[in-house]
Structures are given as structure tokens and as C-alpha cells.
Amino acid sequence: MNQNTSDSPVAVETLDDVPEHVLRGLPEDVRLFPSAVDKTRLGVWATKSILKGKKFGPFVGDKKKRSQVKSNVYMWEVYYPNLGWMCVDATDPEKGNWLRYINWARSGKEQNLFPLEINRTIYYKSLKS
């Protein structure tokens, strides 16, 4: 059996990798900084308190069949009655918006956003101030 023991380097996202349209689209009360969840990625951080119930969105990306998606990190699945399950894929930063950089919470205590689907579109809603 032939095993590859060399680890391939992991790309680390930086602010230089973020498209200009994403930076322009950031709400004034959030910024992108290195993620606390995954050190190789950027994350969304609030710069001041966000009111409970505030809605952000929509999540933007390419609409693809699940079989066309290479990674599930930057995507959501949505059911379309005439198409079946489709993915909104923001793997390519050029195709997504700032919501692409929202990372999952490591615990229920840490969770402060909740994804919701409205008319086959993904939004996020704040759970606490």
C-alpha cells in the first residue's frame, strides 16, 4: 500500500483575498477578521451590539445541483418545487457576499445567529443582542 505522508499546505484566507464588492457590502456594524472557529478562514465579527431579531441577507451564490458542489463549507441547500434540491454555493468569493464568511458556532451557548429560509432564499437572524 502506498501512502502519501506529506501534508499539503492549507491555504489561509486573508483580507487581501476578499473581493471589493464583499467589503463594500458589509454592514457598518460588522467586519471581517480571522475566524475563531477555523484559523484558516475569515469570520464575521460585530463591532458593536446587534439587536436581537435583526435580519441579514440574502445569502448569495451560484445555484447548483448538489453533485456540482465540491465543498459544503460555503453553501446552503434549498428546495425548489420545480427543480428539487439546489445548492446556493458561495465557494467562489467572487460569486458570494459577506454572509459567505459567517462561520458555525461551536456550541449552543456561542450561537448568536440562526439561518432561515424565506421564499427559497437564505437569511440570518440574530438570536441575542
Side-chain angles (χ1 to χ4, degrees), residues 32-97:
L32 298 179
F33 293 114
S35 170
V37 174
D38 181 339
K39 300 297 182 196
T40 67
R41 295 173 46 195
L42 293 172
V44 177
W45 295 85
T47 57
K48 61 183 181 180
S49 184
I50 295 172
L51 293 176
K52 180 180 179 179
K54 182 165 175 120
K55 189 170 67 173
F56 298 102
F59 181 88
V60 175
D62 282 337
K63 198 181 300 180
K64 298 178 178 179
K65 286 285 189 189
R66 184 68 176 100
S67 61
Q68 298 173 299
V69 177
K70 293 179 174 68
S71 169
N72 66 355
V73 174
Y74 301 106
M75 70 91 170
W76 285 101
E77 279 187 291
V78 177
Y79 184 77
Y80 293 84
N82 57 338
L83 299 172
W85 286 100
M86 297 291 291
C87 297
V88 181
D89 181 17
T91 300
D92 180 351
E94 293 291 340
K95 306 289 172 102
N97 59 7

